[in-house]
Amino acid sequence: MDEKYYEINICGCIRKLPIVRISDQLNIASFVLLGDAQLVIKAAEELKERIPRVDYLITAEAKGIPLVQEMARILDMPRYFVARKSVKPYMEDPFITEVYSITTQKKQILCLDREESNLIKGKKILIVDDVISTGDSLKAMEKLVDKAGGIVAGKAAVLAEGDAANRKDIIFLEKLPVFPVKKSR
């Protein structure tokens, strides 16, 4: 294996992911779905076959947006939701929750506008992300859906990273290993 890259096959799309250090103890293979039109289309098609029937899709800003857009298109859904990472001026009485992201390595917020929350109320919602790692982003989105009165009907991603691949409550296409930093002697 090339120690600078991790090669993965996702729905027939071969990608070489750069290995990046995110802490003194851990390296990860950096997966960026944004801009990868071929992979977005193939992953959305495959996830469509695995997910439960739902009323709406939701993702966190920003890397899951193209995937949710394509999934909504092929599922013939007229609407999906994006949990924003900041309160926007147009948002009235937003629902807000906090999350610590492994990739940004800082605390962030996720929020939904009251109007969006009203549409979610009583509906079955699928939470979608590009990669599930620690599960903190999922928990934050679950809190938003719960606050809005929605029903989390499932959680799906392209990749499950590290221990997330052992979870039984998520739908994913491929496992993505993590790479502990080797101690120098």
Side-chain angles (χ1 to χ4, degrees):
M1 175 180 101
D2 182 341
E3 293 199 23
K4 293 183 181 184
Y5 294 92
Y6 177 75
E7 190 171 281
I8 190 166
N9 181 340
I10 308 165
C11 303
C13 299
I14 308 295
R15 298 294 183 264
K16 285 181 78 170
L17 309 179
I19 305 292
V20 297
R21 180 164 294 182
I22 61 164
S23 74
D24 291 340
Q25 296 84 31
L26 192 64
N27 294 326
I28 63 169
S30 179
F31 175 71
V32 179
L33 192 57
L34 285 172
D36 195 335
Q38 178 189 35
L39 185 53
V40 165
I41 291 167
K42 289 190 175 200
E45 289 169 354
E46 183 60 33
L47 282 170
K48 176 188 175 219
E49 301 304 317
R50 300 181 188 199
I51 63 172
R53 185 183 275 294
V54 296
D55 299 304
Y56 292 115
L57 309 173
I58 189 171
T59 193
E61 191 175 44
K63 293 190 296 181
I65 294 172
L67 180 61
V68 166
Q69 168 68 39
E70 181 62 13
M71 288 177 70
R73 187 190 69 76
I74 63 178
L75 290 166
D76 199 28
M77 290 181 168
R79 182 96 168 76
Y80 61 87
F81 300 98
V82 177
R84 305 298 299 267
K85 290 186 178 173
S86 63
V87 176
K88 306 299 179 193
Y90 64 82
M91 292 181 162
E92 291 185 30
D93 195 21
F95 287 8
I96 300 170
T97 189
E98 290 187 340
V99 62
Y100 179 85
S101 170
I102 190 171
T103 51
T104 57
Q105 298 194 333
K106 64 180 182 179
K107 195 166 278 208
Q108 298 176 315
I109 66 164
L110 291 177
C111 53
L112 281 177
D113 182 68
R114 169 69 66 187
E115 182 181 324
E116 295 170 319
S117 299
N118 290 340
L119 292 171
I120 288 172
K121 188 174 184 172
K123 302 295 185 189
K124 291 187 262 180
I125 309 297
L126 178 73
I127 298 171
V128 180
D129 211 344
D130 59 336
V131 179
I132 296 171
S133 186
T134 63
D136 288 345
S137 294
L138 281 182
K139 285 179 200 160
M141 284 193 286
E142 282 182 279
K143 284 180 187 175
L144 280 179
V145 171
D146 288 344
K147 278 184 179 181
I151 303 149
V152 176
K155 297 165 267 191
V158 177
L159 301 174
E161 184 175 55
D163 291 339
N166 299 324
R167 293 177 59 161
K168 301 296 182 217
D169 66 325
I170 62 173
I171 299 159
F172 62 93
L173 301 180
E174 296 296 335
K175 297 177 182 180
L176 186 63
V178 294
F179 306 91
V181 173
K182 297 174 185 166
K183 304 270 187 209
S184 55
R185 295 179 185 219

